[in-house]
Amino acid sequence: MSEPSSPLDFLPLVQRARLRAVGFDVSFPAGARLFDEGGEADRFWLLRRGEVALDICVPGGQPEAVMETLGAGQLLGWSWICPPYRWHLGARAVTAVQAMEFPATDVLALCAADPELGYALMRRFTGVVAERLQATRIRLLDLYAPHAGGPP
Amino acid sequence: MSTVTPPLPYRVAETRAETADTRSLELVPAGRELPPFSPGQFAMLYAFGIGEVPISVSALHGPHGGLVHTVRAVGAVSAALYDLRPGETVGLRGPFGTGWDLDAAAGQDVLVIAGGIGLAPLRPVVHAVLDRPDIYGRLGILVGTRTPGDLIYRGDIERWRDRAEVGVTVDRPGPGWHGSVGVVTTLLDAFALRPDRTHALVCGPEVMMRHTARTLMGRGLAAHRVQVSLERNMRCATGHCGHCQLGPLLLCRDGPVVGYDRVERLLAVREL
Ligand SMILES: Cc1cc2nc3c(=O)[nH]c(=O)nc-3n(C[C@H](O)[C@H](O)[C@H](O)COP(=O)(O)OP(=O)(O)OC[C@H]3O[C@@H](n4cnc5c(N)ncnc54)[C@H](O)[C@@H]3O)c2cc1C
Ligand code: FES
């Protein structure tokens, strides 16, 4: 697909530069685990290339169940924003991934120093959380099932 | 258009399994031929002795030059159609309905967004756009299904990848699925949407279409640039029985394809 717009484009150039200054480029090979459910949520990523699967542990020695995948142009990770600052899900690179990584402490310090940037960023992340919540609700309806219509 | 025609006998020239419960049927006239269909229109397919249901045309010309319909077996009539074998006969009325407004999309990017069997009425749009690259801009095809096994037109989708920006996502991945998981709108993030020069054509369950249309509008697409295909229950298909009414619209005549600007408010009403 052609180059998507960046989810940070909403920030004015100066603030975007300030945010990018604390970020750095990272890459992960296919199959790498980015984080595990319950681990300390101390960073987030802006995905540039590749796909990441968000998964959840299921009991009985089964492989993790994939809940959702994220790809280029999407933000990965919001658990660093609010307590208990633990990852709700795990994340694994499905394909080779290139991303920009942002350490939560640096970003939170930036937000404290520039509340306008903080407000804009928190609005952006609230949007991400709201989108994922809405998507989850819609999937609960099991819309594409042969006799779909909603939960029993 | 509400062309009133008696059911004409059509012969099944070929069938093709799409998924465990879905089959495409190519139908050729056994005698007189119906007027030509356009993408997004539907026929009333009559399984003799069982009943008649609306089914969209999923290709205007199959390998034998006939009309192709893709049927998912959900009840008595669709199961009887699904069971038809080559050489057997079915009754056909049509063409019915508005069809996709491809003229409005001329000179623009076309974004096709399908949920489940909703890809069937959109497949002729993909054919039309791929046939005329001089008329249309970029083509995006985003498809969401329940499981990988529910994906129809797998071979077509692989071929389309060479000439269109294609994304497929499933709600429930199985072992061996390495593609996207999640609602179809998540695929939008990878499509460089140009809101002022894109037309989106959406077909799937009504909730999915509403969610998709709202997401597109959230990305700056005007409601009149979004077309949806509303497939409510139908009986006569000629604008007489009132079965398919949605507010002021009779969907067999004024639909199934309508601009989202015309139905946005109606789709939010619980019962009409
Ligand atoms: C304009 C239009 C185009 C359509 N195109 C296609 C197509 O290309 N391929 C395809 O497989 N189906 C299509 N359908 C849906 C198809 O008409 C229904 O699945 C069919 O009428 C079911 O009839 P039945 O007697 O087999 O099942 P029934 O016994 O009547 O119903 C079985 C189940 O399907 C549901 N159902 C019945 N009718 C509809 C409907 N119109 N829409 C959604 N759910 C329904 C019922 O609520 C029930 O849960 C289309 C419908 C419309 C209105
Ligand atoms: S089905 Fe539309 S009026 Fe009868």
Side-chain angles (χ1 to χ4, degrees):
Chain A
M1 297 210 177
S2 40
E3 197 64 19
S5 57
S6 160
L8 299 180
D9 285 355
F10 69 98
L11 285 173
L13 274 177
V14 182
Q15 290 181 332
R16 213 184 307 166
R18 228 172 271 159
L19 185 63
R20 282 183 187 282
V22 302
F24 49 91
D25 290 329
V26 288
S27 53
F28 302 94
R33 278 205 83 74
L34 278 68
F35 52 83
D36 287 314
E37 198 181 324
E40 189 186 352
D42 55 358
R43 64 197 75 188
F44 70 90
W45 294 267
L46 166 55
L47 300 177
R48 291 226 167 100
R49 231 169 252 280
E51 288 238 314
V52 173
L54 295 173
D55 54 26
I56 194 161
C57 289
V58 281
Q62 308 255 31
E64 291 89 359
V66 175
M67 308 303 293
E68 188 167 2
T69 51
L70 303 177
Q74 289 183 300
L75 288 165
L76 166 65
W78 53 265
S79 306
W80 58 278
I81 297 175
C82 47
Y85 309 110
R86 301 269 159 199
W87 298 116
H88 296 274
L89 299 169
R92 184 177 56 82
V94 181
T95 59
V97 166
Q98 286 172 18
M100 193 167 214
E101 181 172 314
F102 297 89
T105 39
D106 293 351
V107 174
L108 289 169
L110 265 186
C111 294
D114 179 353
E116 230 171 86
L117 166 65
Y119 179 62
L121 200 64
M122 289 308 144
R123 275 182 63 130
R124 182 71 187 84
F125 271 89
T126 309
V128 170
V129 176
E131 259 176 42
R132 300 214 179 129
L133 171 64
Q134 187 62 4
T136 305
R137 286 172 165 170
I138 285 170
R139 283 170 66 194
L140 275 176
L141 292 173
D142 204 2
L143 288 176
Y144 308 129
H147 296 277
Chain B
M1 182 168 60
S2 69
T3 320
V4 184
T5 53
L8 297 181
Y10 269 61
R11 192 174 48 77
V12 179
E14 195 175 307
T15 67
R16 182 195 186 89
E18 300 291 354
T19 69
D21 63 1
T22 305
R23 202 170 267 168
S24 291
L25 312 171
E26 183 181 357
L27 307 175
V28 292
R32 224 150 48 83
E33 191 172 357
L34 292 173
F37 283 66
S38 55
Q41 289 192 306
F42 66 94
M44 293 300 284
L45 259 65
Y46 180 43
F48 290 113
I50 301 181
E52 193 184 41
V53 291
I55 302 288
S56 305
V57 59
S58 67
L60 304 181
H61 305 287
H64 305 269
L67 284 170
V68 182
H69 294 274
T70 303
V71 182
R72 185 161 81 170
V74 295
V77 184
S78 51
L81 293 169
Y82 170 90
D83 283 336
L84 286 169
R85 290 289 172 266
E88 292 187 301
T89 309
V90 66
L92 221 68
R93 292 193 292 139
F96 295 116
T98 44
W100 303 102
D101 185 358
L102 281 172
D103 288 342
Q108 314 257 315
D109 292 348
V110 177
L111 185 55
V112 160
I113 307 182
I117 187 86
L119 185 55
L122 284 165
R123 188 168 64 158
V125 169
V126 174
H127 294 160
V129 173
L130 290 180
D131 281 351
R132 297 300 307 271
D134 52 319
I135 292 194
Y136 304 99
R138 290 156 56 221
L139 172 63
I141 305 169
L142 311 183
V143 183
T145 69
R146 189 172 189 238
T147 69
D150 292 315
L151 184 63
I152 58 175
Y153 313 139
R154 283 158 180 272
D156 289 348
I157 289 173
E158 285 318 308
R159 282 188 290 279
W160 295 341
R161 285 186 196 278
D162 294 336
R163 296 164 64 198
E165 299 177 40
V166 179
V168 177
T169 184
V170 303
D171 272 354
R172 297 170 187 215
W177 174 254
H178 301 293
S180 297
V181 180
V183 288
V184 71
T185 46
T186 58
L187 298 174
L188 273 174
D189 288 311
F191 183 81
L193 185 73
R194 298 187 285 188
D196 53 337
R197 48 169 310 181
T198 300
H199 268 265
L201 315 183
V202 188
C203 187
E206 204 168 295
V207 178
M208 168 267 177
M209 289 196 287
R210 223 161 53 217
H211 176 66
T212 303
R214 284 178 186 162
T215 306
L216 287 168
M217 288 163 67
R219 312 254 163 135
L221 215 67
H224 73 271
R225 290 180 167 276
V226 181
Q227 300 175 36
V228 293
S229 181
L230 294 174
E231 301 190 344
R232 299 241 167 149
N233 283 330
M234 290 185 186
R235 186 157 294 171
C236 72
T238 57
H240 286 106
C241 73
H243 237 77
C244 64
Q245 187 169 2
L246 175 70
L249 306 176
L250 289 176
L251 287 174
C252 67
R253 185 192 65 196
D254 308 317
V257 178
V258 268
Y260 194 65
D261 52 336
R262 289 185 72 194
V263 289
E264 182 180 4
R265 198 185 48 78
L266 297 175
L267 290 185
V269 179
R270 204 176 149 68
E271 273 309 332
L272 273 170

